[in-house]
Amino acid sequence: MTSIVKETRSIKEAVTFINAIDVNKFSRLISRIIQKLHLKGERTFSEEEEQKLQAALSLDKQALNLVLETAAFILEQAVYHNVKPAALQQQLEAVHLNSDKAEVFSHSWATAGPELLEKLKHNTFAPKKLEYVGWQLNLQMAQSSQARLKSPSAILQLGLRNDDSEVQENVFVEFNHQELLELYNKLEIVQGQLDSLT
Amino acid sequence: MASSHAKDSSFLGGRIPPEIESMSKNLKDVDHDMFRRILKAVVSALDGKDCREVMRTIAESSTIPQKRLGHIIAGMYRLLSEAIRIPTSSLKQEAFKEDLRELRIPEDFITDFSSVVFGNRRAALEAARSLNDPHLPTIEELKWRVDVAISTSSLARAMQPSVLMQMKLSDGSFNRFEVPVSKFQELRYNVALILKEMNDLEKRSILKIQD
């Protein structure tokens, strides 16, 4: 298969820096990066942490940035193409990454890769996602316009959340028996469609 | 003294509402034609229509002083509202007529009242009245879509199905949201569960709660 990492100038430069890093420190670095890879728009390391890293790895700010970005890039490519850990190691060695460092990548990928893949599969563009389903079944006895009702009425609570917010918005919908039956029939049709996909 | 048909209080309850008491006193001075005109306007009002013009015309063309006319109209409106509230299974036509006779309403008028409450316009009137009752929004329209994400900027091959729903509610609000497949199952399961409980409830309540 085509190589997922092409040996560009910046890759060459990054490789030089990476090869110089102590392998244990590097291993911890990669673990941390892979944990946060699925979060869009979030910094992996805070300002403070980055400064500490600069000292710990003996890299200046620019060099550290290059190393972090390159490492993230390699992992993103691995996810995107869903490469096998062994193939990843080979390809990294092909761009002159030391085998101990290449092994760190392929080992992290083997361990944390599947979970990362699952998380990314569930990232979507939809404005809101249904996160919570709650309900209440009532027996309505009367209302202003009608006495002695005894009519069952269900209230559905749908908790919707925007991807980029922690706040859940609640939508309350009321159904009588007929309306609920109509909803159920629609859901059955959707289920039919989902079943036909597998 | 034996009564062939033991009845409790009138369908209006233990205390007759004052506007109805007042109406029954004032109806003696109203001829049948005028009564029918007023009745038509009152029914129109129950239906939710604006009948200020009609009322104005009636008031202008009548010899009855405005204040008394007001009492009559209020009484008729209240009488019909109360009668329509009670399901026909509980209040039968004969009982209704009896109650009106006890209020000393002329027989002709009783027949007219009765034809409103027990006639074929009843269902439409009930529906119009219930529009004012408080309730949570109901679904006006539900559209859906099943998608399979083949690939995304993060994954060349995602192959992930998802359900997109678009819900328009009776209060005008609009919600578009994605339902992950696992949540969809949960939603479907819960809706089925509520339906089952509704069925059980309907079977039970008929037996237990007496009208």
Side-chain angles (χ1 to χ4, degrees), chain B residues 178-192:
Chain B
E178 187 216 338
V179 186
V181 175
S182 56
K183 270 298 159 206
F184 179 79
Q185 305 300 359
E186 195 182 314
L187 179 65
R188 193 168 139 255
Y189 170 76
N190 278 297
V191 172

Side-chain angles (χ1 to χ4, degrees), chain A:
Chain A
M1 68 168 286
T2 51
S3 152
I4 64 169
V5 180
K6 299 238 187 317
E7 204 172 10
T8 61
R9 193 159 58 127
S10 69
I11 294 285
K12 279 195 192 148
E13 205 182 327
V15 166
T16 317
F17 286 129
I18 293 176
N19 281 339
I21 299 175
D22 163 66
V23 73
N24 290 322
K25 289 183 187 165
F26 190 65
S27 182
R28 288 199 292 274
L29 190 72
I30 296 299
S31 289
R32 174 72 178 268
I33 294 176
I34 207 172
Q35 290 296 332
K36 297 250 183 158
L37 209 59
H38 67 289
L39 297 168
K40 316 181 220 188
E42 242 189 62
R43 289 177 70 131
T44 315
F45 297 101
S46 67
E47 276 277 5
E48 223 185 281
E49 286 171 323
E50 280 193 13
Q51 286 186 354
K52 288 195 186 138
L53 278 173
Q54 282 175 42
L57 305 174
S58 319
L59 294 168
D60 68 19
K61 193 172 157 111
Q62 240 181 328
L64 179 68
N65 270 341
L66 182 62
V67 166
L68 293 180
E69 274 176 25
T70 308
F73 172 73
I74 292 172
L75 292 167
E76 281 165 7
Q77 286 292 86
V79 172
Y80 184 79
H81 294 283
N82 199 12
V83 296
K84 301 232 184 329
L88 178 62
Q89 181 155 1
Q90 252 181 6
Q91 291 194 23
L92 290 176
E93 286 171 358
V95 296
H96 305 109
L97 202 62
N98 288 349
S99 59
D100 61 349
K101 303 296 185 324
E103 204 184 311
V104 167
F105 273 110
S106 80
H107 181 71
S108 295
W109 172 235
T111 324
E115 195 186 316
L116 177 61
L117 218 73
E118 271 310 298
K119 283 187 192 153
L120 286 175
K121 276 185 182 177
H122 290 111
N123 275 352
T124 56
F125 285 139
K128 294 181 246 188
K129 245 187 223 188
L130 177 65
E131 285 214 331
Y132 174 78
V133 176
W135 57 269
Q136 197 182 64
L137 176 61
N138 297 319
L139 184 63
Q140 194 178 19
M141 300 306 291
Q143 54 196 18
S144 322
S145 70
Q146 272 187 295
R148 303 177 216 186
L149 268 177
K150 288 186 303 185
S151 108
S153 124
I155 299 174
L156 210 56
Q157 177 184 359
L158 302 174
L160 305 177
R161 191 173 70 84
N162 266 327
D163 244 347
D164 50 6
S165 135
E166 281 306 310
V167 178
Q168 206 180 67
E169 176 199 336
N170 281 320
V171 178
F172 292 97
V173 193
E174 196 177 318
F175 298 87
N176 62 21
H177 198 155
Q178 182 58 30
E179 289 161 345
L180 197 63
L181 198 55
E182 281 168 16
L183 175 64
Y184 183 71
N185 289 331
K186 279 213 162 108
L187 295 180
E188 283 293 282
I189 296 175
V190 177
Q191 184 62 46
Q193 289 298 316
L194 287 172
D195 290 340
S196 72
L197 290 175
T198 50

Side-chain angles (χ1 to χ4, degrees), chain B residues 30 42-43 53 76 79 81-82 103 108 111 120 149 155 161 171 174 189 193 199 203:
Chain B
V30 179
V42 168
V43 171
E53 263 314 304
M76 286 170 69
L79 183 87
S81 309
E82 292 297 326
L103 291 170
D108 283 348
T111 312
N120 45 22
L155 297 167
D171 65 353
F174 181 86
Y189 170 76
L193 185 59
N199 277 323
K203 285 192 197 116

Side-chain angles (χ1 to χ4, degrees), chain B residues 41-112:
Chain B
V42 168
V43 171
S44 188
L46 284 168
D47 221 358
K49 301 194 179 64
D50 181 1
C51 36
R52 283 171 293 183
E53 263 314 304
V54 179
M55 288 298 183
R56 206 193 322 265
T57 318
I58 293 176
E60 278 163 8
S61 65
S62 156
T63 49
I64 306 171
Q66 281 232 8
K67 192 155 175 241
R68 285 199 11 228
L69 194 59
H71 284 216
I72 294 171
I73 294 171
M76 286 170 69
Y77 186 87
R78 180 73 188 262
L79 183 87
L80 289 173
S81 309
E82 292 297 326
I84 291 173
R85 277 193 85 231
I86 304 172
T88 47
S89 51
S90 302
L91 178 65
K92 301 274 188 261
Q93 194 164 22
E94 252 325 296
F96 175 71
K97 287 185 170 177
E98 266 303 312
D99 287 338
L100 294 192
R101 277 175 209 128
E102 286 191 11
L103 291 170
R104 301 197 211 300
I105 294 174
E107 196 62 30
D108 283 348
F109 296 6
I110 291 182
T111 312
D112 287 346

Side-chain angles (χ1 to χ4, degrees), chain B residues 17-211:
Chain B
E19 58 265 52
I20 296 183
E21 290 264 18
S22 159
M23 168 198 75
S24 59
K25 290 191 188 93
N26 289 310
L27 272 181
K28 312 178 195 347
D29 308 319
V30 179
D31 68 50
H32 203 172
D33 244 1
M34 173 59 69
F35 172 79
R36 283 205 160 146
R37 282 177 68 194
I38 300 176
L39 184 63
K40 191 155 172 234
V42 168
V43 171
S44 188
L46 284 168
D47 221 358
K49 301 194 179 64
D50 181 1
C51 36
R52 283 171 293 183
E53 263 314 304
V54 179
M55 288 298 183
R56 206 193 322 265
T57 318
I58 293 176
E60 278 163 8
S61 65
S62 156
T63 49
I64 306 171
Q66 281 232 8
K67 192 155 175 241
R68 285 199 11 228
L69 194 59
H71 284 216
I72 294 171
I73 294 171
M76 286 170 69
Y77 186 87
R78 180 73 188 262
L79 183 87
L80 289 173
S81 309
E82 292 297 326
I84 291 173
R85 277 193 85 231
I86 304 172
T88 47
S89 51
S90 302
L91 178 65
K92 301 274 188 261
Q93 194 164 22
E94 252 325 296
F96 175 71
K97 287 185 170 177
E98 266 303 312
D99 287 338
L100 294 192
R101 277 175 209 128
E102 286 191 11
L103 291 170
R104 301 197 211 300
I105 294 174
E107 196 62 30
D108 283 348
F109 296 6
I110 291 182
T111 312
D112 287 346
F113 274 134
S114 198
S115 70
V116 171
V117 175
F118 296 95
N120 45 22
R121 276 198 73 181
R122 167 73 181 250
L125 287 175
E126 275 182 14
R129 301 294 289 157
S130 75
L131 289 178
N132 286 331
D133 295 324
H135 61 87
L136 288 171
T138 58
I139 290 187
E140 204 171 275
E141 185 185 66
L142 179 65
K143 288 191 176 167
W144 56 270
R145 214 170 90 168
V146 172
D147 285 322
V148 177
I150 306 286
S151 104
T152 70
S153 42
S154 328
L155 297 167
R157 283 185 76 62
M159 303 309 281
Q160 191 67 14
S162 70
V163 181
L164 192 68
M165 285 201 174
Q166 192 167 291
M167 208 162 60
K168 194 159 120 190
L169 298 183
S170 60
D171 65 353
S173 67
F174 181 86
N175 275 294
R176 187 185 288 143
F177 54 94
E178 187 216 338
V179 186
V181 175
S182 56
K183 270 298 159 206
F184 179 79
Q185 305 300 359
E186 195 182 314
L187 179 65
R188 193 168 139 255
Y189 170 76
N190 278 297
V191 172
L193 185 59
I194 308 173
L195 274 172
K196 176 179 176 303
E197 299 237 351
M198 263 193 188
N199 277 323
D200 290 346
L201 190 61
E202 279 161 353
K203 285 192 197 116
R204 272 189 290 147
S205 74
I206 292 169
L207 299 172
K208 282 209 182 135
I209 306 170
Q210 294 301 323
D211 265 335

